[in-house]
Amino acid sequence: MEIKGENSGILAGKTIAVKDNVFIAGTPLTNGSKIWEGYTPEFDATVVTRILQAGGTILGKSTCENQCCSGNSFTSASGSVPNPHDITRSAGGSSSGSAVLVATGEVDMAIGGDQGGSIRMPSCWSGCVGLKATFGLVPVTGSLGCEPSFDHLGPMASNVTDVAKLLEVIAGYDDGRDHRQNPHVVIPKYSQLLTGDLTGVKLGYVKEGSRRASDGVKSVMSHVITKLRESGAVVEEVSIPLHAQSDVLMTALIPAYYDCMFENFSQSPGFNELYNVSALRHFKQAMKGSAHDLVPIAKTYPLFGEYIRKKDGSQIVARAMNCRPTLRKAYNDVLEKYDALIMPTIPFVAVKLPPLDLTPKEFIDEVGQFKNINTAPFNLTGHPALSLNVGKVQPDDGGTKHLPVGLQIVCKHFEEAKLLDIAYGVEKLMTE
């Protein structure tokens, strides 16, 4: 498969992979699941249209985890996605294929999706750059999501400059086809604003972001902080206690995933946006006859969701939703004093891929493992967050190969230009 875009544009000469929850007209979509076998979208996602208009060449779809429900990389119906630095280990998910294709140089850029860290986690473990932009900045029109207040699409690449270029192309208002977007946001030329000057930049290292961190990850963070200070940046430890409690909110909101993904066949009704009618039709029919093909982690959503609904209606979901502004304010209060927050993207390096013969409980345990404790909070709050590789260390489990460690950088809403410039500065520091 190769779809060539326009002859000129900012992406001319660039090759791109597209996560397999994103529509490309006439190209089968699986969303990592047997449930979607036989489905072919009839129109392009907005991000696909924009890539082609900007001169990019789409080389194909990239493997994603089953229903985008895993931060690991063994759940796809097409098989496991091994880590490019150690094939016995996970590449991270759910945009697993996008990260590996970028990290191995098979494509220049990729589109990922992020509901709890699914761009940043595989970028971290596979050793590339991935950005979850401000909520609503990039339209999700023409993609399968998990829950509309969490869903993001975003750029992945081997370097910050290419991430900035891809964001320039895919960001911006979609003429009302994505209800979450602000029509008045102006998209700057992100790639032309990169200076990498960290002099005087104030960074808050989030203390709670290192909970559960391995010794190796802690050592890399210490090295990065030293380099940042030597470059003229101001780095101070800050405490945001609510950061450590945000995983409870994510658990409480699982019934919301259930409501969108299963009760409403992947797109909740009632929003002023473009609906994917053929996808709704396909998923409804597939769930009638093939629900047994869902992997164990996907089955927990309707089980837990229905349990909560029968227990107390939607009260738990409502309470959790009402806590999101409080969490958002906790970060914003600190960001009034600092240009950005920093922390490990994932507090440990890539874990071993599990055996294929897992029990349902073992399967769910492998998908968990606290990988998204630093990434998911910013899906709850909508802040822009980027992961980039800042070093390699040996794992604590006795493995001998050195594995990537990611630094996550977080800025205020719609401060992508500042975020990318800080990331560009860090990238330059780490390659000196």
Side-chain angles (χ1 to χ4, degrees):
M1 172 186 174
E2 182 176 305
I3 306 174
K4 291 188 175 181
E6 300 292 335
N7 293 327
S8 62
I10 191 174
L11 298 185
K14 297 292 186 180
T15 55
I16 298 101
V18 177
K19 184 177 180 178
D20 200 19
N21 70 324
V22 178
F23 292 8
I24 298 178
T27 301
L29 174 146
T30 71
N31 201 26
S33 173
K34 290 182 179 180
I35 287 286
W36 288 96
E37 285 183 355
Y39 177 64
T40 300
E42 67 273 19
F43 66 93
D44 286 339
T46 298
V47 295
V48 169
T49 300
R50 290 176 175 178
I51 286 169
L52 296 174
Q53 289 174 342
T57 297
I58 294 175
L59 292 188
K61 305 295 285 293
S62 58
T63 298
C64 69
E65 296 309 299
N66 205 296
Q67 295 284 119
C68 298
C69 287
S70 171
N72 214 314
S73 67
F74 69 91
T75 69
S76 176
S78 62
S80 297
V81 178
N83 190 297
H85 303 273
D86 181 348
I87 62 171
T88 69
R89 293 179 181 271
S90 171
S94 63
S95 307
S96 45
S98 289
V100 172
L101 289 169
V102 166
T104 56
E106 294 187 55
V107 295
D108 299 313
M109 306 168 170
I111 293 295
D114 197 310
Q115 287 84 22
S118 290
I119 287 173
R120 292 158 288 156
M121 291 190 293
S123 295
C124 172
W125 276 1
S126 297
C128 62
V129 184
L131 170 65
K132 181 204 78 66
T134 301
F135 178 73
L137 186 69
V138 177
V140 298
T141 313
S143 67
L144 299 176
C146 293
E147 201 280 333
S149 70
F150 291 97
D151 293 333
H152 297 73
L153 296 178
M156 303 168 73
S158 61
N159 59 78
V160 174
T161 301
D162 277 354
V163 164
K165 287 181 179 180
L166 187 51
L167 182 65
E168 274 180 48
V169 169
I170 63 176
Y173 189 58
D174 192 22
D175 297 325
R177 302 199 306 168
D178 182 343
H179 74 275
R180 308 150 340 125
Q181 291 195 286
N182 182 339
H184 305 297
V185 173
V186 177
I187 306 303
K189 302 290 186 184
Y190 295 114
S191 62
Q192 296 178 21
L193 300 176
L194 300 176
T195 68
D197 185 4
L198 297 173
T199 306
V201 172
K202 294 191 67 177
L203 303 172
Y205 184 78
V206 180
K207 175 183 176 182
E208 290 78 8
S210 288
R211 72 195 194 282
R212 301 193 178 97
S214 68
D215 290 340
V217 168
K218 287 178 180 177
S219 70
V220 170
M221 291 298 114
S222 178
H223 175 65
V224 171
I225 290 171
T226 298
K227 296 272 285 185
L228 286 167
R229 287 171 174 159
E230 289 173 351
S231 74
V234 177
V235 185
E236 299 173 345
E237 185 176 83
V238 298
S239 179
I240 307 175
L242 285 179
H243 181 80
Q245 301 174 37
S246 57
D247 53 341
V248 177
L249 290 184
M250 288 297 292
T251 301
L253 289 168
I254 285 177
Y257 274 61
Y258 160 59
D259 187 66
C260 176
M261 292 175 65
F262 298 103
E263 284 288 280
N264 293 297
F265 310 111
S266 289
Q267 195 169 11
S268 296
F271 296 111
N272 185 16
E273 63 182 17
L274 180 67
Y275 279 82
N276 311 321
V277 177
S278 65
L280 294 169
R281 183 186 309 116
H282 174 92
F283 194 61
K284 178 180 180 181
Q285 292 301 319
M287 285 297 290
K288 284 183 178 179
S290 305
H292 57 276
D293 285 331
L294 291 170
V295 293
I297 188 63
K299 290 177 181 177
T300 63
Y301 287 10
L303 286 171
F304 184 63
E306 195 61 29
Y307 167 76
I308 293 297
R309 178 181 292 179
K310 289 184 176 179
K311 189 176 189 326
D312 73 344
S314 298
Q315 292 180 64
I316 288 180
V317 172
R319 288 173 184 151
M321 285 289 190
N322 288 345
C323 289
R324 292 172 74 172
T326 304
L327 181 63
R328 187 180 304 120
K329 184 178 184 300
Y331 294 122
N332 285 341
D333 286 348
V334 180
L335 284 168
E336 286 298 322
K337 304 171 187 175
Y338 295 90
D339 293 298
L341 305 176
I342 59 173
M343 68 196 78
T345 308
I346 302 176
F348 45 89
V349 295
V351 297
K352 288 277 190 180
L353 286 167
L356 298 177
D357 56 343
L358 296 173
T359 66
K361 182 182 183 305
E362 290 170 338
F363 191 107
I364 293 165
D365 288 343
E366 287 287 343
V367 169
Q369 299 178 328
F370 305 107
K371 290 182 293 296
N372 68 349
I373 56 175
N374 284 343
T375 56
F378 304 107
N379 292 83
L380 288 165
T381 65
H383 289 87
L386 177 147
S387 177
L388 80 160
N389 181 44
V390 289
K392 290 184 178 181
V393 294
Q394 287 180 292
D396 289 350
D397 60 10
T400 58
K401 294 183 178 180
H402 286 69
L403 302 170
V405 175
L407 177 73
Q408 182 172 233
I409 308 171
V410 181
C411 282
K412 287 182 180 178
H413 297 87
F414 299 106
E415 285 192 346
E416 275 75 8
K418 178 189 286 188
L419 173 58
L420 287 162
D421 195 32
I422 292 171
Y424 184 60
V426 174
E427 183 179 68
K428 289 202 303 181
L429 271 183
M430 303 314 296
T431 54
E432 287 178 352

